[in-house]
Amino acid sequence: MCQIVYHPDYKKYNLGYTHPFNPIRVEMTLDLLNELGYSVKPLTPVSITPELLYGIHDPSYIEVVEKVSSGEILKEAENYGLGNPDNPIVKGMAEGARNQAGGTLFAAGLLLENKAKKVLQLGGGFHHAHRNSAAGFCLYNDIALAIKEMTKAGWHVVYLDLDVHHGDGVQEIFYSDDKVMTISLHESGEYLFPGTGWMHELGCGPGRSLKVNLPLEPFTEGDSYLDVLNGVAAPALAWFKPDAMVVQAGADAHFSDPLADLMLTTQDFERIYRRVLELAEQFCNGRALFTLGGGYSLTAVPRIWVILYLILSGYKVPDKIPQDFRKRWNERISQDIPEYFHDPEQAFKPVPRKEKIVKLNHEMIQRMMDTVAVYWF
Ligand SMILES: [Zn+2]
């Protein structure tokens, strides 16, 4: 049984109508579930105070975020990654970010108190938020807050980042922590924001070998993505034996995503989610907390996150997207939502250099395993 966590006030984290990180993505997901006949009854978390973030972010950063969010104009805001196209200053954004961080923290509590084994937080996933600055649409690192809550209780936690971008903020916050293993699959930083997530970023001090980065070639397809997941994540978990898994389930590795270059289809996402759940069952006491994250193709994201919901809840993924949903949203977003949950067999043209890409990804698995072998085995 999967518990859902959501609050309508998450929508207050709204960076503007033209900003890619748009609350409409979750609104569409909930509407699609509703149209399919699933009446989602989420548990509603409460927001958190700024002080609760002190263990994650520097107080000076929190103070600046809260002040500019309430309308104060501060010149030093730019030094904290605020007031640029990725992270514009918008009134109320701090409150919205705290609402979502409260949700992820609440979700962690459900696992800690044994009230649920699986939790889907329909928000959060702000993996780029650093200790001392905003970045990549992210203000407050809800994931780190939730993980810290678990490690305070003595748990070992694995953080699995499926977003197409490197989970740099979470990695940074736990870089020397021996209770947290981070595994990030992402398009290589050579081509994509934030430009980090190299294999040599292994963690430091007691956290050495617990930070695992798997930079994928652009145009990586589902099969070699799964090979990487199986080739590294499975042995990593078998060795680390975490008490719980936290997953950032960004949907921006889909082939239609406007901000990145991976080639996953919706059926690839289904295979990946099923495999991740197996890994959680096998190595993490069956405990898994999923957050949302990136994902900017409005014709793909609701399908992918509904698939995630259905798999976590033990329901079958239906074939067709309800006609009424398509009609309603096609008009609103001026795009054509596909008729089916799964993408057509030939959803995109054959990827040139496919064999080379697969070969490079497989070499990366081997190099990663060679590197960590001295620590893990
Ligand atoms: Zn992303």
Side-chain angles (χ1 to χ4, degrees):
M1 180 61 195
C2 177
Q3 197 65 63
I4 309 299
V5 173
Y6 175 74
H7 196 293
D9 280 352
Y10 288 0
K11 280 185 261 184
K12 289 184 181 168
Y13 193 72
N14 187 343
L15 300 176
Y17 184 68
T18 57
H19 194 285
F21 201 94
N22 192 323
I24 199 176
R25 304 169 317 136
V26 181
E27 193 185 339
M28 289 178 78
T29 303
L30 286 167
D31 192 43
L32 179 51
L33 281 169
N34 193 40
E35 194 66 52
L36 286 166
Y38 296 104
S39 61
V40 182
K41 293 191 181 67
L43 294 177
T44 48
V46 290
S47 188
I48 54 166
T49 61
E51 289 73 24
L52 261 183
L53 291 159
Y54 281 4
I56 303 299
H57 297 288
D58 286 349
S60 61
Y61 167 64
I62 297 169
E63 194 183 334
V64 169
V65 171
E66 296 291 329
K67 279 185 175 167
V68 296
S69 171
S70 64
E72 253 185 75
I73 295 166
L74 295 176
K75 192 166 174 356
E76 64 263 38
E78 63 187 45
N79 302 333
Y80 292 93
L82 298 162
N84 54 61
D86 274 8
N87 287 90
I89 292 170
V90 179
K91 221 169 173 190
M93 65 181 183
E95 189 192 346
R98 279 190 279 107
N99 292 341
Q100 299 214 17
T104 312
L105 183 65
F106 176 77
L110 293 175
L111 292 186
L112 281 165
E113 291 159 25
N114 214 16
K115 290 182 178 158
K117 282 275 192 180
K118 311 272 181 311
V119 187
L120 173 58
Q121 140 76 325
L122 286 173
F126 296 105
H127 61 163
H128 297 306
H130 292 274
R131 221 177 251 295
N132 215 12
S133 72
F137 317 158
C138 305
L139 267 192
Y140 290 145
N141 203 314
D142 62 303
I143 300 166
L145 184 68
I147 293 175
K148 198 87 159 198
E149 190 72 3
M150 293 180 185
T151 61
K152 275 198 277 183
W155 281 12
H156 286 70
V157 181
V158 65
Y159 169 63
L160 180 59
D161 191 313
L162 303 175
D163 194 281
V164 79
H165 302 93
H166 174 225
D168 56 344
V170 181
Q171 174 181 295
E172 175 199 87
I173 289 165
F174 297 111
Y175 207 58
S176 62
D177 196 319
D178 62 352
K179 285 208 169 77
V180 182
M181 173 179 262
T182 62
I183 304 174
S184 179
L185 284 85
H186 46 264
E187 182 176 342
S188 168
E190 195 173 343
Y191 309 97
L192 194 67
F193 178 90
T196 52
W198 304 102
M199 272 189 279
H200 66 257
E201 297 168 28
L202 287 167
C204 67
R208 188 80 181 157
S209 90
L210 296 180
K211 311 300 165 265
V212 181
N213 284 291
L214 301 163
L216 300 158
E217 289 296 304
F219 309 109
T220 288
E221 288 175 278
D223 286 346
S224 75
Y225 190 104
L226 267 158
D227 288 345
V228 173
L229 185 66
N230 286 320
V232 182
L237 296 181
W239 169 74
F240 187 60
K241 296 185 180 66
D243 295 286
M245 178 188 271
V246 175
V247 184
Q248 202 269 25
D252 42 9
H254 190 262
F255 70 85
S256 68
D257 197 273
L259 301 190
D261 316 292
L262 295 203
M263 303 305 280
L264 303 190
T265 58
T266 51
Q267 46 273 50
D268 290 328
F269 276 96
E270 180 172 347
R271 290 194 296 158
I272 292 160
Y273 293 148
R274 289 193 190 283
R275 181 63 186 136
V276 167
L277 272 183
E278 278 173 13
L279 291 171
E281 285 300 333
Q282 203 175 348
F283 300 113
C284 311
N285 300 312
R287 293 192 193 106
L289 156 55
F290 287 76
T291 71
L292 303 182
Y296 307 101
S297 162
L298 296 181
T299 59
V301 171
R303 290 186 294 144
I304 293 168
W305 285 342
V306 166
I307 287 172
L308 175 62
Y309 170 91
L310 296 173
I311 291 173
L312 281 171
S313 307
Y315 300 128
K316 196 173 169 294
V317 177
D319 290 336
K320 285 198 136 186
I321 305 288
Q323 188 59 29
D324 284 352
F325 174 86
R326 293 180 62 230
K327 195 163 171 277
R328 187 159 62 243
W329 285 97
N330 284 354
E331 238 169 68
R332 191 159 154 198
I333 65 174
S334 306
Q335 293 182 63
D336 199 11
I337 296 166
E339 269 180 73
Y340 297 94
F341 269 94
H342 284 169
D343 292 312
E345 272 315 309
Q346 299 297 326
F348 47 83
K349 288 183 189 156
V351 174
R353 298 174 59 246
K354 182 183 166 187
E355 281 166 25
K356 180 85 187 291
I357 291 164
V358 171
K359 186 167 172 282
L360 287 168
N361 282 339
H362 285 169
E363 284 170 7
M364 191 254 302
I365 300 171
Q366 194 55 54
R367 275 168 50 216
M368 193 70 223
M369 292 310 292
D370 287 348
T371 306
V372 294
V374 290
Y375 301 99
W376 292 359
F377 307 117

